[in-house]
Amino acid sequence: TPRKKIRLRSYNNLQDYSLEFKYTNAYHRKKIVLKNFKYSQLELIKILKEYNINELIYPKIGVTYLRYYFLSSLGRITVDQNIYFQQVNNSLQLSNRLIRDRKIILELKIEGKEREKFDKNEIARYFKFKEIRNSKYCNGVNSFINLY
């Protein structure tokens, strides 16, 4: 930290994107999501200027995965599996080389007033899970670094 991530996200391999900006520092996180973003290089440059992002940015990696959604009284649960990474060129073309991450990632997303009542240690004991930080992006970048 501090860190800035820009992510172009699509669902179900559609050409309908969300453009996300994630800002992280030691004490705060902020996420801005622009839905229904129609990707073109000119449109991306225009939006980046609107958000005062003036430095050069380059695509790093493509991440695809299968996500399952569940609802509980605590919040939303997501399970990600069949995770694959691909390198991306500056035109957002994916390489043919796929690297598979065999992890299955379970995440509990708690919002609003429920956060105050939530004891993550109690939940971890119940499920016998170990809480760890995870980033599919970082896992993917590291998997390509480890090849060379």
Side-chain angles (χ1 to χ4, degrees), residues 14-148:
L14 299 175
Q15 296 302 308
D16 211 17
Y17 297 99
S18 291
L19 183 62
E20 301 177 2
F21 303 99
K22 291 175 80 174
Y23 302 91
T24 305
N25 63 38
Y27 306 104
H28 180 71
R29 280 194 237 177
K30 179 180 177 183
K31 183 175 179 180
I32 299 168
V33 179
L34 306 175
K35 295 184 184 264
N36 301 317
F37 176 74
K38 302 295 184 204
Y39 173 76
S40 74
Q41 286 185 327
L42 289 176
E43 187 64 19
L44 180 60
I45 290 167
K46 181 181 127 192
I47 297 289
L48 292 174
K49 284 182 181 178
E50 286 177 21
Y51 283 87
N52 294 317
I53 299 171
N54 299 310
E55 64 267 23
L56 291 175
I57 60 168
Y58 300 96
K60 303 285 186 222
I61 194 163
V63 181
T64 58
Y65 52 93
L66 186 58
R67 173 169 280 178
Y68 298 96
Y69 295 92
F70 304 93
L71 291 176
S72 79
S73 59
L74 289 173
R76 185 167 44 105
I77 297 170
T78 59
V79 177
D80 297 343
Q81 62 183 31
N82 295 340
I83 303 166
Y84 289 92
F85 308 118
Q86 290 174 277
Q87 291 177 312
V88 181
N89 68 21
N90 288 342
S91 300
L92 292 184
Q93 300 297 313
L94 296 169
S95 74
N96 291 328
R97 181 180 215 159
L98 282 172
I99 295 181
R100 182 170 184 193
D101 185 341
R102 298 197 179 276
K103 291 184 185 90
I104 297 175
I105 300 167
L106 182 142
E107 185 175 2
L108 176 57
K109 301 179 184 207
I110 302 167
E111 298 178 14
K113 295 178 183 177
E114 294 300 318
R115 258 180 203 258
E116 299 164 11
K117 298 186 271 182
F118 180 68
D119 179 359
K120 66 182 177 182
N121 295 319
E122 183 179 330
I123 299 297
R125 281 192 301 274
Y126 178 79
F127 284 109
K128 296 184 176 47
F129 287 156
K130 178 181 171 189
E131 180 186 19
I132 59 169
R133 293 183 62 91
N134 185 71
S135 164
K136 288 184 278 294
Y137 168 79
C138 290
N139 295 346
V141 168
N142 288 335
S143 67
F144 282 103
I145 289 171
N146 292 335
L147 287 179
Y148 302 104

